[in-house]
Each structure stands twice: as structure tokens, then as C-alpha cells.
Amino acid sequence: MRKVQNQLNKNNVPIYVDGIFGPTTLKQVKEFQMRRHLKADGIVGPSTWTALYHTAFPYPGHVVKIGDQGINVTYIQARLNDAGGSIKIDGIFGPNTQLKVKEFQKKFGLKVDGIVGPETWDILFNYEE
């Protein structure tokens, strides 16, 4: 159980690691499943287990927004294109990238602000069509 709780923390779903699958862990597992667009049943089955460990691009710890540059912007642009966007992958968070972020946020029912915070990052890098 500690493995599940540790992975929830690594996936921006905060929980105290006590090794007990109680009501709080159940609630946080369901939260994680909803964010990943999995069946939110609270059961850590194969798809949830896989998603818990799918952290190829962990959240950088700060929002990524217009004016930013670098590898995180490059990752975001590539994933936006995977999600149906058609933007130049240049590592510069400009108006076109912001527009595609807003479209992505709207599509997934997120707050449409054009900023890539933990929730947008989580869904952008972990959803599967």
C-alpha cells in the first residue's frame, strides 16, 4: 500500500504515506483515476497501476505560461500536437501555444486560462485517446 501512496504523491495527488488503504486513500485513488480519465472505482487494477507509474514527464513544479522557453515548452508543444494541434515545436511559449493550451483545457473540462499548471500538465501528459 505504501507504493500506491508514494506514487499518488509523485503524481500530484497528495496523501500521507501510512500503508493503510482507508477512506482517504480510496478518495485519492478515485481522484487520480478521474484526472487520468480512468474508471473512478477506487480499485488499483492494471490500468490504474500502469498510470501511477507513467511519469515520463513529471510536472516541473511551476506553471508554464506565455513567454516561457525551454525543454518543458517543447514537451508541451509536442503533446499538444499529439492531441490534434498543429503548432511549431520551437520551445517558445507564444500566442499559438497558448491558444492550443486553451483549446486542450476546454476539451478536457479544465479551467481555460492558457497556463500549464499541475492539472493541465497531468492530463496533457497522461491522457490516452
Side-chain angles (χ1 to χ4, degrees):
M1 183 44 45
R2 290 181 189 276
K3 284 184 181 180
V4 170
Q5 291 169 332
N6 282 321
Q7 288 308 117
L8 286 169
N9 281 317
K10 288 180 182 176
N11 282 279
N12 299 312
V13 181
I15 186 164
Y16 177 70
V17 179
D18 61 5
I20 299 167
F21 197 102
T24 302
T25 301
L26 178 65
K27 179 178 176 274
Q28 295 303 77
V29 168
K30 287 181 178 180
E31 171 68 24
F32 173 78
Q33 290 169 325
M34 286 185 344
R35 287 187 189 179
R36 296 293 174 90
H37 301 276
L38 299 167
K39 182 179 178 186
D41 57 9
I43 298 168
V44 183
S47 56
T48 300
W49 195 257
T50 299
L52 278 168
Y53 281 88
H54 180 94
T55 54
F57 299 104
Y59 181 66
H62 57 83
V63 299
V64 184
K65 61 191 181 318
I66 197 159
D68 288 349
Q69 296 184 30
I71 193 69
N72 288 322
V73 177
T74 303
Y75 293 152
I76 290 166
Q77 291 169 328
R79 280 300 285 164
L80 289 169
N81 283 346
D82 290 345
S86 57
I87 52 175
K88 182 178 175 186
I89 299 174
D90 59 6
I92 300 167
F93 200 124
N96 289 336
T97 301
Q98 185 182 47
L99 178 65
K100 292 301 175 187
V101 167
K102 286 180 177 180
E103 288 173 5
F104 181 85
Q105 290 170 326
K106 184 176 181 184
K107 178 180 176 182
F108 283 91
L110 298 163
K111 180 181 175 187
V112 180
D113 57 10
I115 294 170
V116 182
E119 260 193 290
T120 300
W121 183 282
D122 191 39
I123 292 175
L124 183 62
F125 286 97
N126 295 292
Y127 85 98
E128 294 179 18
E129 286 282 328

